[in-house]
Amino acid sequence: DAKTTQPNSMESNEEEPVHLPCNHSTISGTDYIHWYRQLPSQGPEYVIHGLTSNVNNRMASLAIAEDRKSSTLILHRATLRDAAVYYCILRAYNAGNMLTFGGGTRLMVKP
Amino acid sequence: DGGITQSPKYLFRKEGQNVTLSCEQNLNHDAMYWYRQDPGQGLRLIYYSQIVNDFQKGDIAEGYSVSREKKESFPLTVTSAQKNPTAFYLCASSITATGGYTFGSGTRLTVV
């Protein structure tokens, strides 16, 4: 399975934008890039996913590099409720559609 | 509202006993999954099922068993053969395509 690399932790100030990076240099052409976040003692929550083009939804934006070897999850205005562990995951289209979770990035938001 | 229900939220069992964790979804999703999470760690796949009456082992299936008799239900049994069963267990479902997963709120199992 293609792997992802994320920083262990990041800090942000409330109401400022946050850019969470993810490297996936061995990504294959059919791998979708998924982002999930997990608050303490809760199940992960789907955030966004994409294949090649940048994607926007009500929660965040996903910027995908042209060579697809990296991506960035963008939270436009961080709130205290955005403090969570963010997982960047590659989902193979033809491999049972399973998600393989890595360690993720723990985002801390300071008031 | 559609979603995934895991019950109970907290479960305590004595060592050597089998225990079954419930997972029900009303999203009409074909695929369902069980993950285990240990403190400070990511999620690890135990079992998954892409269709009724069929399931596959994940990365850490030893000591666990599942069934998928109905599309809506995917119960997980933690058997006495599982050496370190105390963990946070998460159930998820997805449409078998490229969409996102929906997770339940988890069951925290403590074996004493």
Side-chain angles (χ1 to χ4, degrees), chain B residues 1-96:
Chain B
D1 287 341
I4 293 188
T5 302
Q6 288 188 245
S7 60
K9 192 170 179 63
Y10 298 96
L11 190 55
F12 295 87
R13 278 295 182 269
K14 290 184 178 179
E15 195 171 339
Q17 289 182 334
N18 291 356
V19 59
T20 298
L21 281 58
S22 169
C23 178
E24 303 279 332
Q25 55 102 356
N26 59 4
L27 299 164
N28 201 33
H29 285 174
D30 291 309
M32 297 187 73
Y33 312 82
W34 274 105
Y35 287 88
R36 168 186 172 136
Q37 187 173 37
D38 293 289
Q41 305 295 314
L43 282 67
R44 292 184 291 167
L45 182 66
I46 305 173
Y47 267 98
Y48 66 99
S49 168
Q50 293 185 295
I51 197 169
V52 174
N53 291 323
D54 185 57
F55 48 83
Q56 307 294 330
K57 292 182 179 180
D59 300 321
I60 55 165
E62 186 175 347
Y64 300 97
S65 66
V66 293
S67 63
R68 187 85 186 277
E69 297 176 2
K70 299 186 300 182
K71 188 175 186 178
E72 302 80 18
S73 179
F74 191 41
L76 173 74
T77 296
V78 184
T79 75
S80 57
Q82 168 49 234
K83 293 185 179 4
N84 296 298
T86 294
F88 188 44
Y89 290 87
L90 288 155
C91 179
S93 70
S94 74
I95 296 171
T96 52

Side-chain angles (χ1 to χ4, degrees), chain A residues 96-110:
Chain A
N97 296 299
M98 291 174 289
L99 292 177
T100 300
F101 285 77
T105 296
R106 182 172 300 278
L107 175 66
M108 292 166 279
V109 180
K110 296 183 290 185

